[in-house]
Amino acid sequence: MSIAKVNENFSPRERAAFLQKKLKSLGFSSISWVPSTGSTNEDLIAAGLKGAGNLSVIIADDQTAGRGRRDREWLSEKNTSLLMSVLFRIQEPKERLGLYSMKLSLAACHVLHELGFGDIRIKWPNDLIVTQRGQTSKLAGVLAQTITERGEKLVVVGIGLNILPGNLRQSLPDRDIIALSEIGDAPDRVLLAARILERLAKLEQDDSLILDQYASFVDTIGREVSINTGTEEIIGNAISVTPNGSLLIKLENGEEREVFVGDVVHLR
């Protein structure tokens, strides 16, 4: 069955079966697609603790308890977003864990550019943004969660990508958000999931060029930024992303600071 014939009219189980068959040779252990769940990340963490294999995937039509960074609520309307989480079983040094969320945002950005959405960029660490007529809006958020289990690290990375606007602006009137359908012809979620996972598998097989690829899409480098780390505010110029995915900031006094996590505001 071609991917053009698998679409929103198919059941979640049929979509999952198609993706499982199409992507099996790329190393994906299991792929499930559910009508509704609390959180795809939390579901996949639980599955990982029960033995789910590397590159297991959960996709949902709806999330009732989705979360973003710093435990913020992630709102979505049924069938309007790609809500997908991927499990990595790794034995990498702690310093490389940030690369896994980078891989998913980078895979998504690559695919969206290939589909004609050339204005999409990455805002450090891994939000997908669109800037039009001087206005920057958030298209997608990426959240990584890490658990150590019997010496092995489980990294679950989830993405929430707005396909249709639905009622998001009514639910989140104070946030600048955008959906794919507002900047072009929105792709079918099955097509989009398949292509993002294909690209992710390639990055997983060879991530030697991930920093170079990330740098080509990231919108934060070269900007004056303000970063709220939760304990302090750091203002300076973003000069690079380090091999572990942190952001290197040059302060006004010339000092360089490495920031591992925080909420970024682009000042100019």
Side-chain angles (χ1 to χ4, degrees), residues 126-162:
N126 292 299
D127 286 345
L128 300 191
I129 58 170
V130 177
T131 301
Q132 294 183 324
R133 296 179 292 276
Q135 176 70 40
T136 298
S137 302
K138 184 173 178 177
L139 175 72
V142 174
L143 176 67
Q145 295 173 267
T146 305
I147 294 175
T148 300
E149 173 75 358
R150 293 189 290 275
E152 183 180 40
K153 295 180 181 67
L154 306 181
V155 180
V156 172
V157 186
I159 185 169
L161 196 163
N162 303 324

mmCIF file of all heavy atoms in Angstrom, residues 126-162:
data_model
loop_
_atom_site.group_PDB
_atom_site.id
_atom_site.type_symbol
_atom_site.label_atom_id
_atom_site.label_comp_id
_atom_site.label_asym_id
_atom_site.label_seq_id
_atom_site.Cartn_x
_atom_site.Cartn_y
_atom_site.Cartn_z
ATOM 1 N N ASN A 126 15.089 23.644 20.862
ATOM 2 C CA ASN A 126 14.516 22.792 19.823
ATOM 3 C C ASN A 126 13.100 23.170 19.383
ATOM 4 O O ASN A 126 12.416 22.353 18.796
ATOM 5 C CB ASN A 126 14.523 21.322 20.290
ATOM 6 C CG ASN A 126 15.932 20.780 20.397
ATOM 7 O OD1 ASN A 126 16.658 20.721 19.420
ATOM 8 N ND2 ASN A 126 16.331 20.422 21.604
ATOM 9 N N ASP A 127 12.659 24.384 19.663
ATOM 10 C CA ASP A 127 11.363 24.811 19.145
ATOM 11 C C ASP A 127 11.467 25.064 17.646
ATOM 12 O O ASP A 127 12.501 25.540 17.162
ATOM 13 C CB ASP A 127 10.905 26.109 19.818
ATOM 14 C CG ASP A 127 10.432 25.898 21.240
ATOM 15 O OD1 ASP A 127 10.192 24.736 21.634
ATOM 16 O OD2 ASP A 127 10.306 26.901 21.971
ATOM 17 N N LEU A 128 10.399 24.778 16.912
ATOM 18 C CA LEU A 128 10.329 25.166 15.504
ATOM 19 C C LEU A 128 9.523 26.448 15.415
ATOM 20 O O LEU A 128 8.427 26.544 15.981
ATOM 21 C CB LEU A 128 9.669 24.072 14.658
ATOM 22 C CG LEU A 128 10.341 22.699 14.628
ATOM 23 C CD1 LEU A 128 9.713 21.831 13.543
ATOM 24 C CD2 LEU A 128 11.836 22.791 14.434
ATOM 25 N N ILE A 129 10.063 27.434 14.722
ATOM 26 C CA ILE A 129 9.423 28.743 14.644
ATOM 27 C C ILE A 129 9.292 29.188 13.189
ATOM 28 O O ILE A 129 9.979 28.688 12.302
ATOM 29 C CB ILE A 129 10.203 29.803 15.436
ATOM 30 C CG1 ILE A 129 11.654 29.912 14.909
ATOM 31 C CG2 ILE A 129 10.198 29.473 16.933
ATOM 32 C CD1 ILE A 129 12.435 31.089 15.467
ATOM 33 N N VAL A 130 8.396 30.150 12.992
ATOM 34 C CA VAL A 130 8.207 30.768 11.677
ATOM 35 C C VAL A 130 8.176 32.276 11.888
ATOM 36 O O VAL A 130 7.446 32.767 12.763
ATOM 37 C CB VAL A 130 6.892 30.309 11.018
ATOM 38 C CG1 VAL A 130 6.695 31.016 9.683
ATOM 39 C CG2 VAL A 130 6.876 28.803 10.834
ATOM 40 N N THR A 131 8.951 33.019 11.114
ATOM 41 C CA THR A 131 8.935 34.480 11.184
ATOM 42 C C THR A 131 8.392 35.028 9.873
ATOM 43 O O THR A 131 8.930 34.753 8.803
ATOM 44 C CB THR A 131 10.342 35.046 11.442
ATOM 45 O OG1 THR A 131 10.838 34.522 12.676
ATOM 46 C CG2 THR A 131 10.307 36.565 11.527
ATOM 47 N N GLN A 132 7.301 35.769 9.988
ATOM 48 C CA GLN A 132 6.676 36.388 8.815
ATOM 49 C C GLN A 132 6.318 37.825 9.152
ATOM 50 O O GLN A 132 5.717 38.100 10.191
ATOM 51 C CB GLN A 132 5.417 35.619 8.398
ATOM 52 C CG GLN A 132 5.677 34.211 7.894
ATOM 53 C CD GLN A 132 4.411 33.522 7.423
ATOM 54 O OE1 GLN A 132 3.335 33.717 7.995
ATOM 55 N NE2 GLN A 132 4.526 32.712 6.385
ATOM 56 N N ARG A 133 6.728 38.744 8.274
ATOM 57 C CA ARG A 133 6.442 40.171 8.459
ATOM 58 C C ARG A 133 6.862 40.648 9.847
ATOM 59 O O ARG A 133 6.147 41.396 10.511
ATOM 60 C CB ARG A 133 4.955 40.458 8.200
ATOM 61 C CG ARG A 133 4.530 40.171 6.757
ATOM 62 C CD ARG A 133 3.060 40.438 6.535
ATOM 63 N NE ARG A 133 2.262 39.461 7.262
ATOM 64 C CZ ARG A 133 1.967 38.254 6.800
ATOM 65 N NH1 ARG A 133 2.429 37.872 5.607
ATOM 66 N NH2 ARG A 133 1.225 37.425 7.499
ATOM 67 N N GLY A 134 8.016 40.190 10.285
ATOM 68 C CA GLY A 134 8.555 40.631 11.558
ATOM 69 C C GLY A 134 7.968 39.955 12.780
ATOM 70 O O GLY A 134 8.397 40.226 13.905
ATOM 71 N N GLN A 135 7.011 39.058 12.585
ATOM 72 C CA GLN A 135 6.352 38.367 13.689
ATOM 73 C C GLN A 135 6.839 36.922 13.758
ATOM 74 O O GLN A 135 6.737 36.184 12.776
ATOM 75 C CB GLN A 135 4.826 38.377 13.503
ATOM 76 C CG GLN A 135 4.046 37.592 14.548
ATOM 77 C CD GLN A 135 4.080 38.257 15.915
ATOM 78 O OE1 GLN A 135 3.989 39.481 16.020
ATOM 79 N NE2 GLN A 135 4.232 37.465 16.958
ATOM 80 N N THR A 136 7.369 36.507 14.912
ATOM 81 C CA THR A 136 7.840 35.137 15.100
ATOM 82 C C THR A 136 6.801 34.338 15.884
ATOM 83 O O THR A 136 6.356 34.766 16.957
ATOM 84 C CB THR A 136 9.175 35.110 15.857
ATOM 85 O OG1 THR A 136 10.162 35.795 15.074
ATOM 86 C CG2 THR A 136 9.637 33.677 16.085
ATOM 87 N N SER A 137 6.419 33.195 15.333
ATOM 88 C CA SER A 137 5.398 32.347 15.961
ATOM 89 C C SER A 137 5.922 30.932 16.128
ATOM 90 O O SER A 137 6.733 30.456 15.328
ATOM 91 C CB SER A 137 4.126 32.326 15.103
ATOM 92 O OG SER A 137 3.620 33.643 14.919
ATOM 93 N N LYS A 138 5.436 30.257 17.147
ATOM 94 C CA LYS A 138 5.880 28.892 17.435
ATOM 95 C C LYS A 138 5.027 27.890 16.678
ATOM 96 O O LYS A 138 3.807 27.906 16.750
ATOM 97 C CB LYS A 138 5.792 28.632 18.945
ATOM 98 C CG LYS A 138 6.311 27.269 19.379
ATOM 99 C CD LYS A 138 6.351 27.175 20.898
ATOM 100 C CE LYS A 138 6.825 25.824 21.378
ATOM 101 N NZ LYS A 138 6.940 25.755 22.858
ATOM 102 N N LEU A 139 5.696 26.996 15.967
ATOM 103 C CA LEU A 139 5.024 25.946 15.210
ATOM 104 C C LEU A 139 5.041 24.613 15.959
ATOM 105 O O LEU A 139 4.077 23.851 15.898
ATOM 106 C CB LEU A 139 5.707 25.768 13.850
ATOM 107 C CG LEU A 139 5.203 24.627 12.983
ATOM 108 C CD1 LEU A 139 3.812 24.950 12.427
ATOM 109 C CD2 LEU A 139 6.179 24.353 11.832
ATOM 110 N N ALA A 140 6.136 24.330 16.647
ATOM 111 C CA ALA A 140 6.274 23.031 17.319
ATOM 112 C C ALA A 140 7.190 23.158 18.528
ATOM 113 O O ALA A 140 8.090 23.999 18.562
ATOM 114 C CB ALA A 140 6.841 21.980 16.366
ATOM 115 N N GLY A 141 6.949 22.298 19.496
ATOM 116 C CA GLY A 141 7.815 22.186 20.655
ATOM 117 C C GLY A 141 8.344 20.769 20.756
ATOM 118 O O GLY A 141 7.676 19.817 20.351
ATOM 119 N N VAL A 142 9.556 20.640 21.278
ATOM 120 C CA VAL A 142 10.189 19.335 21.459
ATOM 121 C C VAL A 142 10.626 19.213 22.913
ATOM 122 O O VAL A 142 11.245 20.127 23.459
ATOM 123 C CB VAL A 142 11.407 19.174 20.525
ATOM 124 C CG1 VAL A 142 12.150 17.877 20.814
ATOM 125 C CG2 VAL A 142 10.964 19.203 19.066
ATOM 126 N N LEU A 143 10.290 18.097 23.541
ATOM 127 C CA LEU A 143 10.635 17.866 24.945
ATOM 128 C C LEU A 143 11.335 16.525 25.092
ATOM 129 O O LEU A 143 10.836 15.503 24.626
ATOM 130 C CB LEU A 143 9.384 17.878 25.827
ATOM 131 C CG LEU A 143 9.603 17.546 27.317
ATOM 132 C CD1 LEU A 143 10.414 18.648 27.988
ATOM 133 C CD2 LEU A 143 8.272 17.334 28.030
ATOM 134 N N ALA A 144 12.498 16.531 25.743
ATOM 135 C CA ALA A 144 13.244 15.304 26.022
ATOM 136 C C ALA A 144 13.214 15.011 27.516
ATOM 137 O O ALA A 144 13.364 15.913 28.339
ATOM 138 C CB ALA A 144 14.683 15.428 25.540
ATOM 139 N N GLN A 145 13.040 13.742 27.857
ATOM 140 C CA GLN A 145 13.067 13.293 29.245
ATOM 141 C C GLN A 145 13.991 12.086 29.334
ATOM 142 O O GLN A 145 13.967 11.210 28.467
ATOM 143 C CB GLN A 145 11.666 12.921 29.724
ATOM 144 C CG GLN A 145 10.718 14.125 29.762
ATOM 145 C CD GLN A 145 9.284 13.725 30.068
ATOM 146 O OE1 GLN A 145 8.503 13.496 29.153
ATOM 147 N NE2 GLN A 145 8.947 13.651 31.343
ATOM 148 N N THR A 146 14.806 12.052 30.385
ATOM 149 C CA THR A 146 15.821 11.007 30.534
ATOM 150 C C THR A 146 15.648 10.268 31.851
ATOM 151 O O THR A 146 15.425 10.884 32.893
ATOM 152 C CB THR A 146 17.235 11.614 30.478
ATOM 153 O OG1 THR A 146 17.378 12.359 29.279
ATOM 154 C CG2 THR A 146 18.294 10.527 30.536
ATOM 155 N N ILE A 147 15.753 8.946 31.791
ATOM 156 C CA ILE A 147 15.697 8.090 32.976
ATOM 157 C C ILE A 147 16.837 7.089 32.887
ATOM 158 O O ILE A 147 17.131 6.557 31.812
ATOM 159 C CB ILE A 147 14.349 7.341 33.061
ATOM 160 C CG1 ILE A 147 13.206 8.331 33.285
ATOM 161 C CG2 ILE A 147 14.361 6.293 34.169
ATOM 162 C CD1 ILE A 147 11.838 7.687 33.271
ATOM 163 N N THR A 148 17.508 6.856 34.019
ATOM 164 C CA THR A 148 18.539 5.821 34.063
ATOM 165 C C THR A 148 17.961 4.579 34.717
ATOM 166 O O THR A 148 17.402 4.641 35.813
ATOM 167 C CB THR A 148 19.765 6.297 34.852
ATOM 168 O OG1 THR A 148 20.305 7.456 34.208
ATOM 169 C CG2 THR A 148 20.834 5.213 34.894
ATOM 170 N N GLU A 149 18.060 3.461 34.014
ATOM 171 C CA GLU A 149 17.478 2.203 34.476
ATOM 172 C C GLU A 149 18.534 1.108 34.384
ATOM 173 O O GLU A 149 18.965 0.724 33.296
ATOM 174 C CB GLU A 149 16.268 1.843 33.589
ATOM 175 C CG GLU A 149 15.675 0.469 33.844
ATOM 176 C CD GLU A 149 14.849 0.388 35.117
ATOM 177 O OE1 GLU A 149 14.768 1.400 35.827
ATOM 178 O OE2 GLU A 149 14.280 -0.686 35.385
ATOM 179 N N ARG A 150 18.989 0.638 35.556
ATOM 180 C CA ARG A 150 19.993 -0.427 35.628
ATOM 181 C C ARG A 150 21.214 -0.133 34.736
ATOM 182 O O ARG A 150 21.671 -0.958 33.961
ATOM 183 C CB ARG A 150 19.366 -1.777 35.243
ATOM 184 C CG ARG A 150 18.328 -2.274 36.261
ATOM 185 C CD ARG A 150 17.909 -3.702 35.955
ATOM 186 N NE ARG A 150 17.123 -3.780 34.746
ATOM 187 C CZ ARG A 150 15.802 -3.586 34.703
ATOM 188 N NH1 ARG A 150 15.136 -3.317 35.813
ATOM 189 N NH2 ARG A 150 15.153 -3.679 33.567
ATOM 190 N N GLY A 151 21.700 1.092 34.846
ATOM 191 C CA GLY A 151 22.902 1.480 34.125
ATOM 192 C C GLY A 151 22.686 1.908 32.695
ATOM 193 O O GLY A 151 23.598 2.426 32.058
ATOM 194 N N GLU A 152 21.481 1.716 32.190
ATOM 195 C CA GLU A 152 21.163 2.116 30.814
ATOM 196 C C GLU A 152 20.303 3.365 30.851
ATOM 197 O O GLU A 152 19.432 3.518 31.702
ATOM 198 C CB GLU A 152 20.416 0.998 30.096
ATOM 199 C CG GLU A 152 20.122 1.308 28.637
ATOM 200 C CD GLU A 152 19.369 0.184 27.948
ATOM 201 O OE1 GLU A 152 18.466 -0.399 28.579
ATOM 202 O OE2 GLU A 152 19.688 -0.118 26.794
ATOM 203 N N LYS A 153 20.553 4.276 29.933
ATOM 204 C CA LYS A 153 19.772 5.511 29.874
ATOM 205 C C LYS A 153 18.638 5.359 28.868
ATOM 206 O O LYS A 153 18.836 4.871 27.754
ATOM 207 C CB LYS A 153 20.670 6.687 29.499
ATOM 208 C CG LYS A 153 21.738 7.002 30.536
ATOM 209 C CD LYS A 153 22.576 8.178 30.091
ATOM 210 C CE LYS A 153 23.666 8.478 31.120
ATOM 211 N NZ LYS A 153 24.670 7.389 31.188
ATOM 212 N N LEU A 154 17.462 5.778 29.289
ATOM 213 C CA LEU A 154 16.306 5.859 28.402
ATOM 214 C C LEU A 154 16.039 7.326 28.125
ATOM 215 O O LEU A 154 15.819 8.109 29.054
ATOM 216 C CB LEU A 154 15.071 5.232 29.050
ATOM 217 C CG LEU A 154 15.183 3.796 29.565
ATOM 218 C CD1 LEU A 154 13.848 3.348 30.153
ATOM 219 C CD2 LEU A 154 15.627 2.857 28.464
ATOM 220 N N VAL A 155 16.081 7.705 26.868
ATOM 221 C CA VAL A 155 15.767 9.072 26.478
ATOM 222 C C VAL A 155 14.498 9.043 25.638
ATOM 223 O O VAL A 155 14.452 8.367 24.607
ATOM 224 C CB VAL A 155 16.913 9.725 25.684
ATOM 225 C CG1 VAL A 155 16.539 11.149 25.287
ATOM 226 C CG2 VAL A 155 18.196 9.721 26.496
ATOM 227 N N VAL A 156 13.479 9.733 26.094
ATOM 228 C CA VAL A 156 12.229 9.847 25.339
ATOM 229 C C VAL A 156 12.103 11.287 24.856
ATOM 230 O O VAL A 156 12.178 12.230 25.642
ATOM 231 C CB VAL A 156 11.011 9.462 26.196
ATOM 232 C CG1 VAL A 156 9.710 9.774 25.449
ATOM 233 C CG2 VAL A 156 11.064 7.982 26.558
ATOM 234 N N VAL A 157 11.943 11.441 23.548
ATOM 235 C CA VAL A 157 11.828 12.769 22.947
ATOM 236 C C VAL A 157 10.471 12.868 22.258
ATOM 237 O O VAL A 157 10.126 12.021 21.429
ATOM 238 C CB VAL A 157 12.955 13.035 21.934
ATOM 239 C CG1 VAL A 157 12.877 14.475 21.445
ATOM 240 C CG2 VAL A 157 14.320 12.760 22.555
ATOM 241 N N GLY A 158 9.708 13.892 22.619
ATOM 242 C CA GLY A 158 8.389 14.084 22.029
ATOM 243 C C GLY A 158 8.302 15.387 21.263
ATOM 244 O O GLY A 158 8.963 16.382 21.609
ATOM 245 N N ILE A 159 7.490 15.390 20.217
ATOM 246 C CA ILE A 159 7.243 16.605 19.442
ATOM 247 C C ILE A 159 5.739 16.839 19.345
ATOM 248 O O ILE A 159 4.959 15.903 19.162
ATOM 249 C CB ILE A 159 7.874 16.519 18.029
ATOM 250 C CG1 ILE A 159 7.720 17.852 17.288
ATOM 251 C CG2 ILE A 159 7.304 15.360 17.213
ATOM 252 C CD1 ILE A 159 8.533 17.934 16.000
ATOM 253 N N GLY A 160 5.349 18.079 19.489
ATOM 254 C CA GLY A 160 3.972 18.499 19.227
ATOM 255 C C GLY A 160 4.020 19.545 18.133
ATOM 256 O O GLY A 160 4.526 20.664 18.348
ATOM 257 N N LEU A 161 3.554 19.197 16.934
ATOM 258 C CA LEU A 161 3.675 20.053 15.763
ATOM 259 C C LEU A 161 2.287 20.423 15.272
ATOM 260 O O LEU A 161 1.474 19.553 14.941
ATOM 261 C CB LEU A 161 4.473 19.321 14.677
ATOM 262 C CG LEU A 161 5.055 20.119 13.519
ATOM 263 C CD1 LEU A 161 6.132 19.306 12.813
ATOM 264 C CD2 LEU A 161 3.997 20.517 12.496
ATOM 265 N N ASN A 162 1.990 21.723 15.211
ATOM 266 C CA ASN A 162 0.660 22.197 14.822
ATOM 267 C C ASN A 162 0.448 22.038 13.314
ATOM 268 O O ASN A 162 1.154 22.665 12.526
ATOM 269 C CB ASN A 162 0.478 23.661 15.201
ATOM 270 C CG ASN A 162 0.685 23.922 16.685
ATOM 271 O OD1 ASN A 162 0.327 23.088 17.520
ATOM 272 N ND2 ASN A 162 1.252 25.060 17.021
#
